[in-house]
Amino acid sequence: MKALVLSGGAGTRLRPITHTSAKQLVPVANKAVLFYGLESIAEAGITDVGVVVGDTAAEIEEAVGDGSKFGLDITYIPQERPLGLAHAVLIAQDYLGDDDFVMYLGDNFIVGGISGLVDEFRAHRPDAQILLTHVPDPRSFGVAELDPQGRVMSLEEKPEHPRSDLALVGVYLFTPAIHQAVRAIEPSWRGELEITHAIQHLIDVRADVRSTVIQGYWKDTGNVEDMLEVNRRVLETMDPRIDGEVDDESETIGRVVVEEGARIVRSRVVGPVVVGAGSLVSDSYVGPFTSIAENCRVTDSEVEFSIVLRDSSIDGVGRVESSLIGRHVEVTPAPSVPSAHRLVLGDHSKVQIHS
């Protein structure tokens, strides 16, 4: 069994971060979202992985390499434009061959991994198995309609009037039957080959399409709010560890990780928090659910429920919260501006000025 990991796409909902960085490499708890998925694939016993890449191919390839650090054998599959999930399957057919495979969206996050799901698929080997979860607003997702026995009746991509609240999670398991299905469909109104249409084709020809409604935590980390929420979830699972320096005038409370080479000086850090290698927190407060990446500086400031990417600094700005701060960013106070009033007044005017 192989894996197909999708790591293309523009990441428009994470701009401006994704103007200069691949969305799959934005870190939560100081580790790229994509890495969590690759680790889950390795834990499921899959070693051959095709990674579909687009405009950010060079950055993805530099970060992932040949896959050996994950215990994987990586093959990169270029996609000229993001033309849909089914299009990714189409262009990967030569790599996938006649093997079963799991398709994993590189910006998705599933707590607990996929080992159990892969084992279930291997045991029963339906033509397709999809993962579903209940969501409050399914209009932004592919949506499944099930019959009373739980069989998949229909799928619809981003419907205006959803028939259920069951959204497709970004992990799919397929036999080679999917290859005929992706060749049989036409582009949607968005100009993309939709994987929901390909799976619907399998349903229409009476192929065996099964679903699993997951009860664990899942997020599509496509926007800032979801990134911060996943960061919170991961930090809550970390064990406290102080490998760096914490001086006698500082206090760390709860789940706090201070990486080797990091320093906490005259500061208070309330976990869950991770402070990356080479970073300095000085005369500051770092509050819960905050990830500070490597080689950052936080001085005379307060930071809470935020992600700070590498080589950035926050200096003397009061309080920062619910923020995603990119790489090589400098956050400083604005210079004070003398207050003044510029007036052009006609004759006999009366003016009251509140200073």
Side-chain angles (χ1 to χ4, degrees), residues 280-312:
L280 170 66
V281 176
S282 175
D283 300 294
S284 296
Y285 166 78
V286 179
F289 314 123
T290 300
S291 295
I292 298 172
E294 64 271 21
N295 301 319
C296 292
R297 295 176 62 89
V298 179
T299 55
D300 192 25
S301 300
E302 297 183 3
V303 184
E304 188 168 314
F305 193 52
S306 294
I307 298 173
V308 183
L309 275 58
R310 62 180 173 84
D311 301 302
S312 292

Side-chain angles (χ1 to χ4, degrees), residues 127 177 180-181 184 197-209:
D127 294 302
Q180 186 276 331
H197 292 178
I199 300 170
Q200 182 64 51
H201 176 82
L202 291 177
I203 295 170
D204 293 341
V205 299
R206 300 187 180 280
D208 185 5
V209 177

Side-chain angles (χ1 to χ4, degrees), residues 2 35 58 68 79 94 139 144 148 163 168 172 183 195 202 223 310 334:
K2 292 177 179 175
F35 291 2
S68 56
Q79 185 182 33
D94 287 345
R139 290 176 297 176
R163 297 174 184 174
L168 275 76
Y172 309 79
R183 291 193 301 270
I195 197 66
L202 291 177
N223 59 49
R310 62 180 173 84

Side-chain angles (χ1 to χ4, degrees), residues 242-248 250 252 258-265 275 279-281:
I242 307 296
D243 294 334
E245 300 177 20
V246 179
D247 74 358
D248 293 338
S250 297
T252 63
V258 181
E259 299 284 1
E260 185 175 356
R263 293 190 298 140
I264 311 297
V265 179
V275 180
S279 289
L280 170 66
V281 176

